[in-house]
Amino acid sequence: MRVSDALDNFTRFPVIAAALATIALAVAILAGPSFSDARKVDGNCANAQLQPEDLTVDEAQDAVLCLLNKRRAAAGMGPLDHNNKLLAAANQHNSYMLKHACFAHQCSGEASMTTRIKSKGYLSGAMSWQIGENIAWGEEGLATPAAIVDAWMNSPGHRANILNPSYDEIGISAGGGRPGEARHSNAATYTTDFGRTSG
């Protein structure tokens, strides 16, 4: 299945028009590689340069995870591990934005990020926790996994989530279309939900 056909699977894609929300005990803003160094840092992340019409949902998600972990490694941090509960929360929000022509961390009529993540069981039993979210959408070359991650890395708030050493898990949702135009053939919307829990 192509990313551009993935609305029914609750996935989406990011772009330069990005926003950020962080709910955390602390958020660290760390220096990461500059935009000009991105190509050297990213190495060989498969499918990172493909546009939405050429990507499957799994390829888009894998490319974003690879790119984020390369950026973290370059900053001396450990990788983010995929978490199915965070993925479910990210998918839910991504789908909501596409269906309701909204680009925000909480759309009208939607639960808050914390409530969404709790409803998927991610915070169950946790004594302490930290969560954050990056969203973005784009078209054509601005919707490739590499373009989305570059945009996030060049935005201080988004970079703070990516390079937060406290986070160790992530759910990445990528799907076709842009908020309000879910069937746009070569656009994509992304949501990444970051987290860490301790019991």
Side-chain angles (χ1 to χ4, degrees), residues 8 16 27 67 112 119 121 127 141 143-144 186:
D8 295 333
I16 298 294
V27 175
L67 292 165
S112 70
S119 75
M127 296 297 292
T144 68
N186 204 17

Side-chain angles (χ1 to χ4, degrees), residues 33-34 51 59 77 87 90 93 95 110-111 133 144 146 166 170 185-187 189:
S34 70
Q51 294 185 24
E59 288 169 343
M77 281 178 269
L87 173 62
H93 182 58
S95 177
E110 183 186 29
E133 180 173 86
T144 68
S166 295
I170 192 169
S185 64
N186 204 17
T189 303

